[in-house]
Amino acid sequence: MKRRDKVLSSDFLKAKAVKITDPEWEKGQAMMLDPSAFQKEDIKVYEGHIAHNFIDRDKERFSLPVLKSLAKTLVGKSLLTGHNWGPPGDGRFFETSLEKMTMEDTLVFIGPTPLKKMQNILAGIQAKEGSIYWLKAKWYMLAEDPAVKKIDAGITKDLSVGFGAPMLSEVKDADSDKSQYIEYQNTKDREAEAYEASLVFLGSQYGARITKDANNLNQNEDNEMLKITLFGKSFELTE
């Protein structure tokens, strides 16, 4: 599969406190080689909206099966900076979920865009796949990492996913035969894979952002369709 870096845009950041919750601390410890070397205050946990299933600035979109594949394969991967492959990352992803969001809430969440027909675009995707879906992910970082200070200050906001997808398909308008967008798809023999996700500048997709730190994570959020962790059982990941 060809490597792709899909850069996701962000509008604002909500991350303030350093203290993390007991469940987040336990999950972080499970990934450490020497948990005894760290205390809770040494770690910060964040949650971000990584990807979605509607059309981006490049006139591309992830199909829902591809979005599920990215959610499944991002667990255990690194948080990098600027897709800089080679050096160690700044964090590690330990949990993902797919969240349904209404068209109206999505419009508010992504904020202003240059597309005057964004509402129509979202309506089309909602009709095609039943909902607007967002891939959300949680990761942990060392509190002393300089990147953490930039995140908390609101300087670092944007996220990007580096991925491979086995197939690209052009979607055309049924009436005019005009190209509408390009869609990443899985095939019978292979599915998409998330290689990493990165802290980057403003990029291709609308609306992704670092949304919360561990102190603000809502443990009762209604994340439907899929929820996996590296430390527990597998949940439904396929159609």
Side-chain angles (χ1 to χ4, degrees):
M1 289 187 291
K2 184 179 179 181
R3 172 191 169 188
R4 295 280 297 182
D5 299 331
K6 181 59 63 178
V7 183
L8 307 175
S9 63
S10 169
D11 297 311
F12 61 88
L13 172 68
K14 294 180 179 177
K16 297 179 181 179
V18 173
K19 184 179 179 180
I20 69 174
T21 64
D22 288 339
E24 302 298 341
W25 171 238
E26 291 172 3
K27 290 178 180 180
Q29 283 183 305
M31 300 194 76
M32 297 175 186
L33 297 182
D34 184 10
S36 64
F38 301 95
Q39 303 298 319
K40 285 176 66 174
E41 57 267 24
D42 297 327
I43 300 298
K44 288 210 68 173
V45 172
Y46 293 96
E47 179 182 87
H49 287 69
I50 305 293
H52 51 64
N53 67 332
F54 59 88
I55 303 165
D56 63 22
R57 291 185 175 94
D58 295 329
K59 297 187 71 174
E60 298 176 347
R61 70 175 291 266
F62 296 123
S63 65
L64 182 55
V66 165
L67 202 62
K68 288 183 177 182
S69 297
L70 297 182
K72 178 173 64 175
T73 56
L74 185 60
V75 174
K77 302 292 177 56
S78 293
L79 176 78
L80 305 181
T81 298
H83 300 294
N84 188 10
W85 289 25
D90 292 315
R92 185 71 62 174
F93 289 94
F94 62 84
E95 184 176 298
T96 62
S97 63
L98 284 189
E99 175 191 49
K100 287 184 178 180
M101 190 180 292
T102 66
M103 183 176 68
E104 293 75 18
D105 287 344
T106 296
L107 287 169
V108 173
F109 184 76
I110 64 177
T113 75
L115 297 180
K116 296 181 179 180
K117 296 183 179 181
M118 177 58 82
Q119 185 168 348
N120 293 341
I121 291 173
L122 294 176
I125 299 303
Q126 185 170 266
K128 180 175 182 176
E129 294 187 330
S131 181
I132 304 301
Y133 288 94
W134 292 81
L135 163 57
K136 296 172 65 177
K138 295 177 184 177
W139 68 90
Y140 75 92
M141 305 173 67
L142 292 175
E144 64 182 15
D145 190 324
V148 164
K149 197 167 186 178
K150 287 187 176 182
I151 289 173
D152 288 346
I155 296 171
T156 300
K157 298 182 179 183
D158 305 305
L159 295 169
S160 168
V161 59
F163 68 98
M167 187 169 70
L168 278 173
S169 179
E170 184 179 19
V171 178
K172 296 184 178 181
D173 182 81
D175 298 323
S176 65
D177 201 40
K178 182 179 179 181
S179 179
Q180 297 297 299
Y181 55 87
I182 301 296
E183 183 174 279
Y184 290 97
Q185 299 177 346
N186 288 338
T187 63
K188 180 181 179 180
D189 299 320
R190 192 162 186 173
E191 61 181 298
E193 179 182 2
Y195 301 146
E196 45 85 12
S198 291
L199 302 170
V200 293
F201 58 92
L202 183 68
S204 297
Q205 288 202 337
Y206 300 101
R209 64 178 70 110
I210 303 172
T211 45
K212 299 177 182 178
D213 71 351
N215 239 24
N216 295 321
L217 294 180
N218 184 350
Q219 302 299 324
N220 297 315
E221 287 178 347
D222 184 19
N223 296 328
E224 302 185 38
M225 293 294 295
L226 174 150
K227 188 175 181 66
I228 61 177
T229 70
L230 195 62
F231 321 108
K233 297 180 180 180
S234 296
F235 292 82
E236 295 182 7
L237 301 173
T238 59
E239 295 279 57

